[in-house]
Amino acid sequence: MTNKELNPEEMDKYSLRGRVFHKIREDILSGKYKDNEELKEVAIGKELGVSRTPVREAFRQLELEGLIKIIPNRGAYVTGIHANDVKDIYMIRSKLEGLCARWACENISKEQMEEMEEVVYLSEFHAAKGHMDQLAELDNRFHTILYESCHSKMLEHTLKDFHQYVLRIRQKTLSTNRGPVSNKEHEQIMLAIKDKNADLAEQLANQHMINAYSNMVKYGLYDLYSDDREDSEKK
């Protein structure tokens, strides 16, 4: 793939600043860094083999995303994603993914439609074999195709960020019985888009997110965010 074929977001991942930002964000979202843990510019720069400048630039971008808090004359501290944030993300995603599916009915290309169908049928095969790692990868790919096929860079960027924010809990719950069920819902969304049934595609994509969140609560949301459960019980 040449640089001309990359969109600005993909180009950013190949820049030094972009690589540092995405690595630190990935480490925060994966749970490597805990809530309120201080992020040290020098230590992270040494770990990544870069100067303090790209680390400092990454910190500023991470603060804009709400993943860290920079306190003047003290340092940068992780705020991360909490259980209440996950709920908010999924309720917002339910609306935005519905809109995305609606617009995909109008804008999806033949190649994207063929790839979406292939992903759904490959997922069905791996679900039957119990290949959960492959199923998780294909789940990510389905949503990426959906986002790209809406032909709105603003909506695509927002949904890709939301998708990344909840990667840790998604990986946990897709290993439950949710994986095969999720793929069946993908298939219904795909068929609605193929039929150009915008109302149905929007409704199915909306419900898909609500179902995903309900499953997270059932199978481990508060196991990963125990502090949030304690806070909820105090209220």
Side-chain angles (χ1 to χ4, degrees):
M1 180 178 287
T2 66
N3 285 352
K4 292 182 179 179
E5 295 173 310
L6 295 171
N7 62 37
E9 183 177 352
E10 290 170 325
M11 287 284 287
D12 181 62
K13 291 181 181 179
Y14 289 93
S15 70
L16 178 60
R17 181 191 64 81
R19 290 200 306 271
V20 173
F21 163 72
H22 286 286
K23 180 62 171 71
I24 300 172
R25 182 169 75 162
E26 179 184 316
D27 287 343
I28 292 172
L29 295 175
S30 70
K32 176 180 176 179
Y33 297 120
K34 306 304 180 185
D35 270 358
N36 301 315
E37 182 175 346
E38 183 179 2
L39 299 179
K40 298 182 181 295
E41 286 182 8
V42 174
I44 292 176
K46 185 176 180 180
E47 178 188 346
L48 300 181
V50 299
S51 69
R52 296 175 65 174
T53 299
V55 177
R56 191 177 300 119
E57 292 172 347
F59 281 3
R60 285 197 289 267
Q61 191 170 352
L62 289 163
E63 185 177 39
L64 289 175
E65 293 200 4
L67 295 177
I68 71 172
K69 182 177 180 62
I70 299 174
I71 302 176
N73 302 317
R74 287 186 57 188
Y77 296 85
V78 174
T79 54
I81 297 292
H82 300 170
N84 287 337
D85 298 323
V86 174
K87 180 179 180 180
D88 291 346
I89 286 169
Y90 270 86
M91 294 308 102
I92 296 169
R93 277 184 72 187
S94 70
K95 301 299 183 184
L96 295 183
E97 296 237 0
L99 179 61
C100 185
R102 171 175 286 278
W103 286 354
C105 290
E106 304 169 9
N107 296 305
I108 193 167
S109 68
K110 178 183 176 183
E111 292 74 20
Q112 287 171 328
M113 189 74 255
E114 289 174 349
E115 186 179 2
M116 186 178 282
E117 288 182 287
E118 182 180 8
V119 166
V120 166
Y121 296 130
L122 276 174
S123 296
E124 185 177 1
F125 168 80
H126 286 296
K129 297 291 186 179
H131 300 160
M132 293 305 163
D133 287 344
Q134 291 90 335
L135 196 58
E137 290 177 9
L138 289 165
D139 180 275
N140 288 335
R141 186 57 196 156
F142 176 88
H143 285 277
T144 297
I145 298 167
L146 179 63
Y147 303 158
E148 292 174 351
S149 66
C150 76
H151 281 212
S152 167
K153 65 180 181 181
M154 298 301 180
L155 185 55
E156 178 186 342
H157 177 75
T158 299
L159 284 170
K160 282 183 175 179
D161 274 350
F162 278 163
H163 197 67
Q164 185 68 25
Y165 288 163
V166 293
L167 184 60
R168 183 160 54 123
I169 183 63
R170 285 184 59 257
Q171 288 174 331
K172 178 179 176 65
T173 56
L174 278 173
S175 65
T176 68
N177 65 335
R178 175 63 188 166
V181 174
S182 177
N183 189 55
K184 288 295 182 184
E185 293 172 5
H186 286 174
E187 183 177 16
Q188 292 175 332
I189 295 167
M190 179 267 292
L191 290 173
I193 293 173
K194 188 175 184 179
D195 290 341
K196 307 295 184 183
N197 189 335
D199 289 340
L200 180 59
E202 181 172 15
Q203 177 188 341
L204 291 171
N206 181 298
Q207 188 61 46
H208 177 59
M209 288 295 101
I210 293 172
N211 292 347
Y213 177 73
S214 297
N215 185 76
M216 287 178 178
V217 172
K218 182 178 180 180
Y219 285 104
L221 177 64
Y222 286 103
D223 290 343
L224 284 179
Y225 303 97
S226 57
D227 290 344
D228 289 4
R229 167 170 278 175
E230 292 168 5
D231 290 344
S232 296
E233 290 174 351
K234 290 176 183 178
K235 293 180 181 178

